[in-house]
C-alpha cells in the first residue's frame, strides 16, 4: 500500500500546482492555444508511430498529454513490459497495473516532451520491437 501511495505522490500533480493552474480562469489564455496545438501535433505523431508497431496499439487521446497503449500483443504484463522497455531503450513508461488489475495489458506514455525527444523515442521503440 505504501508503494502505491508513493507512486501517486511522485507521479501526480500536487495540490498547490493544481490551484495555480486554476488561474487560467482569471487570466487571458493567449499562451494556451499554441501549446494545445503543439500537444495535438505530438499526440498525432505519437499515435501514428505507435500504431505502426505490432507489439502495441493505442487510441489517440482527446485531451491531455498521456497516451495509453495496449501491449497485450507483446505477451508481457505491464510491469515486465515497462522494465524491459526502460532497460533496452531508456524510455520510461507507467505500467497499466497502476490504474487497476484490468489495465495490466496497457502502459502509459507521456508526450509532454519535445518533438525531437518523441521522434527519438519512436525510433527506439521500433528497435525495441525487434527483441520480441
Amino acid at each position: 500500500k505504501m508503494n502505491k501511495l508513493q507512486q501517486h505522490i511522485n507521479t501526480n500533480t500536487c495540490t498547490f500546482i493544481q490551484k495555480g493552474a486554476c488561474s487560467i480562469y482569471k487570466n487571458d489564455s493567449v499562451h494556451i492555444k499554441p501549446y494545445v496545438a503543439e500537444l495535438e501535433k505530438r499526440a498525432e505523431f505519437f499515435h501514428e508511430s505507435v500504431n505502426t508497431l505490432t507489439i502495441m496499439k493505442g487510441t489517440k487521446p482527446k485531451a491531455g498529454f498521456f497516451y495509453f497503449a495496449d501491449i497485450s500483443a507483446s505477451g508481457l504484463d505491464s510491469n515486465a513490459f515497462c522494465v524491459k522497455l526502460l532497460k533496452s531503450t531508456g524510455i520510461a513508461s507507467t505500467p497499466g497495473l497502476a490504474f487497476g488489475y484490468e489495465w495490466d495489458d496497457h502502459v502509459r506514455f507521456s508526450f509532454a516532451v519535445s518533438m525531437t525527444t518523441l521522434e527519438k523515442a519512436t525510433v527506439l521503440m521500433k528497435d525495441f520491437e525487434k527483441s520480441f
Side-chain angles (χ1 to χ4, degrees), residues 2 6 9 16 22 33 43-44 58 79 87 93 98 102 126:
M2 290 304 293
Q6 182 272 339
I9 288 171
F16 74 88
C22 288
K33 286 184 182 179
E44 184 64 33
N79 279 324
K87 287 182 176 181
S93 55
E102 65 274 15
K126 286 178 185 178

Side-chain angles (χ1 to χ4, degrees), residues 105-125:
D105 58 355
H106 284 71
V107 295
R108 185 179 78 169
F109 296 97
S110 171
F111 53 87
V113 295
S114 70
M115 183 58 92
T116 303
T117 300
L118 272 183
E119 289 167 347
K120 289 177 185 176
T122 57
V123 169
L124 290 169
M125 288 167 69

Side-chain angles (χ1 to χ4, degrees), residues 55-102:
I55 58 169
M56 70 176 95
K57 297 292 177 217
T59 303
K60 184 179 162 194
K62 294 181 181 174
F65 49 79
F66 290 112
Y67 192 88
F68 219 48
D70 179 340
I71 54 146
S72 56
S74 74
L76 299 174
D77 64 51
S78 60
N79 279 324
F81 184 93
C82 289
V83 168
K84 185 173 181 175
L85 181 65
L86 183 62
K87 287 182 176 181
S88 299
T89 67
I91 297 171
S93 55
T94 304
L97 187 59
F99 304 98
Y101 291 108
E102 65 274 15

